[in-house]
C-alpha cells in the first residue's frame, strides 16, 4: 500500500512542521528550501495572521464558483437564487456579446482584463486540446462554446490560446468548427514568443497581440 503523505517523517523537524513544508511544496515554483523558509515565517507569525490566512484559503474554495456561461470564477452570493449563475462580466450590458475571446484558463482572462482594452466577453476552455495526453474536445469546454454560438448572437471569436503546439491545435479546431457556420474567427498574432504560456506574457504585449489578430 502506498504511504499517505505525512505517514513518515524523513526530516529533522517535528511532524506538524514537516506536514506544512510538504503542503507548501505542492505549490508551483516552491522547492523544499522556499517551503521551509515559508513554514518558519508562518511559525513566527501571530496566531491571528495564520488563522486569517487559512480562513481566506477555505473561503476562496467555498465562495467561488464558475460562471455558467463563460466559466470565469465568480463569487457565490449569499442566498443565491438558481438563475443567479452568471459572472459580472457576462452580466455587464456595456460589453459586446457578439465578440468572444476564447482563453485556456482564468489567469489569461484576468491578464487581458487588466489591460482594460477588451470590451467583448470571454470563454474559458479550462484547458486545451492535447490528444497525446488524452485531452479531446469533450475534456474542455467546447460544448459550452457551441451552445453560445447557437444563440445566434456571436459574430466573432478571437482565439487567444497560447502559441504552443496544443494551443495552435485548439485554435485550428475552433476555427474548423465555427468558420463553416459564418463566424469570423481570428487568432492573436504578434509579439508573443512561440512556445510561451500566455499567462506569463506582459499585459501590453498581450493586448497588442489581440489588436493585431489575424483572420483564420
Ligand atoms: Zn461569465
Amino acid at each position: 500500500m502506498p504511504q499517505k503523505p505525512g505517514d513518515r517523517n524523513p526530516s529533522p523537524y517535528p511532524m506538524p512542521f514537516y506536514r506544512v513544508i510538504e503542503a507548501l511544496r505542492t505549490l508551483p515554483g516552491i522547492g523544499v528550501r522556499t517551503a521551509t523558509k515559508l513554514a518558519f515565517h508562518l511559525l513566527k507569525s501571530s496566531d491571528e495572521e495564520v488563522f486569517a490566512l487559512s480562513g481566506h484559503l477555505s473561503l476562496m474554495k467555498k465562495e467561488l464558483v464558475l460562471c455558467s456561461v463563460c466559466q470565469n470564477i465568480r463569487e457565490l452570493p449569499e442566498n443565491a437564487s438558481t438563475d443567479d449563475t452568471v459572472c459580472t462580466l457576462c452580466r455587464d450590458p456595456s460589453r459586446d456579446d457578439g465578440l468572444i475571446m476564447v482563453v485556456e484558463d482564468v489567469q489569461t482572462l484576468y491578464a487581458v482584463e487588466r489591460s482594460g482594452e477588451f470590451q467583448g466577453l470571454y470563454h474559458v476552455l479550462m484547458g486545451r486540446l492535447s490528444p497525446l495526453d488524452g485531452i479531446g474536445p469533450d475534456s474542455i469546454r467546447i460544448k459550452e462554446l457551441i451552445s453560445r454560438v447557437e444563440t445566434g448572437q456571436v459574430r466573432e471569436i478571437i482565439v487567444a490560446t497560447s502559441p504552443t503546439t496544443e494551443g495552435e491545435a485548439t485554435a485550428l479546431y475552433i476555427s474548423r468548427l465555427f468558420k463553416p457556420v459564418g463566424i469570423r474567427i481570428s487568432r492573436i498574432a504578434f509579439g508573443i514568443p512561440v512556445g510561451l504560456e500566455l499567462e506569463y506574457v506582459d499585459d501590453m504585449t498581450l493586448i497588442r497581440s489581440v489588436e493585431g489578430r489575424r483572420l483564420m
Side-chain angles (χ1 to χ4, degrees):
M1 218 178 109
Q3 280 195 326
K4 276 186 294 183
D7 274 350
R8 207 173 54 87
N9 178 4
S11 79
Y13 305 114
M15 193 59 161
F17 194 76
Y18 170 68
R19 282 197 207 105
V20 173
I21 295 175
E22 287 302 289
L24 291 169
R25 274 183 66 190
T26 64
L27 300 174
I30 307 280
V32 69
R33 280 171 68 102
T34 309
T36 308
K37 203 168 129 190
L38 290 172
F40 272 116
H41 173 81
L42 291 169
L43 187 65
K44 276 187 292 187
S45 306
S46 70
D47 287 1
E48 289 74 25
E49 284 169 321
V50 177
F51 291 148
L53 176 63
S54 84
H56 292 318
L57 291 173
S58 10
L59 283 181
M60 177 178 78
K61 294 301 285 180
K62 219 160 64 189
E63 294 183 349
L64 290 184
V65 287
L66 297 181
C67 170
S68 61
V69 176
C70 74
Q71 340 297 322
N72 177 22
I73 46 171
R74 66 184 184 90
E75 197 176 345
L76 187 67
E78 271 180 81
N79 315 314
S81 66
T82 43
D83 55 347
D84 193 3
T85 61
V86 178
C87 75
T88 46
L89 296 177
C90 288
R91 265 204 306 258
D92 185 347
S94 72
R95 299 189 77 115
D96 180 355
D97 61 1
L99 178 63
I100 293 185
M101 186 183 296
V102 174
V103 293
E104 289 173 22
D105 47 42
V106 177
Q107 289 101 300
T108 309
L109 181 159
Y110 281 99
V112 177
E113 203 46 26
R114 273 197 307 271
S115 73
E117 297 202 20
F118 178 66
Q119 287 308 312
L121 298 178
Y122 298 91
H123 190 84
V124 185
L125 288 176
M126 319 270 293
R128 56 190 167 196
L129 295 179
S130 182
L132 289 178
D133 302 312
I135 303 172
D138 291 342
S139 309
I140 59 175
R141 304 298 172 106
I142 291 283
K143 267 204 304 281
E144 289 79 355
L145 184 59
I146 295 174
S147 307
R148 291 180 79 176
V149 169
E150 279 171 351
T151 62
Q153 258 155 345
V154 181
R155 53 168 210 284
E156 177 175 352
I157 292 176
I158 303 173
V159 189
T161 51
S162 299
T164 54
T165 313
E166 291 90 355
E168 291 296 345
T170 310
L172 198 61
Y173 182 86
I174 290 171
S175 166
R176 286 182 180 154
L177 200 59
F178 297 115
K179 231 166 112 174
V181 294
I183 307 286
R184 188 183 146 102
I185 310 283
S186 53
R187 177 87 175 103
I188 55 166
F190 57 79
I192 295 176
V194 170
L196 192 70
E197 300 286 345
L198 281 188
E199 58 182 288
Y200 302 121
V201 174
D202 68 273
D203 296 357
M204 211 51 193
T205 304
L206 190 57
I207 201 64
R208 289 288 159 268
S209 68
V210 172
E211 286 170 359
R213 64 188 182 268
R214 61 185 160 79
L215 282 175
M216 285 185 79

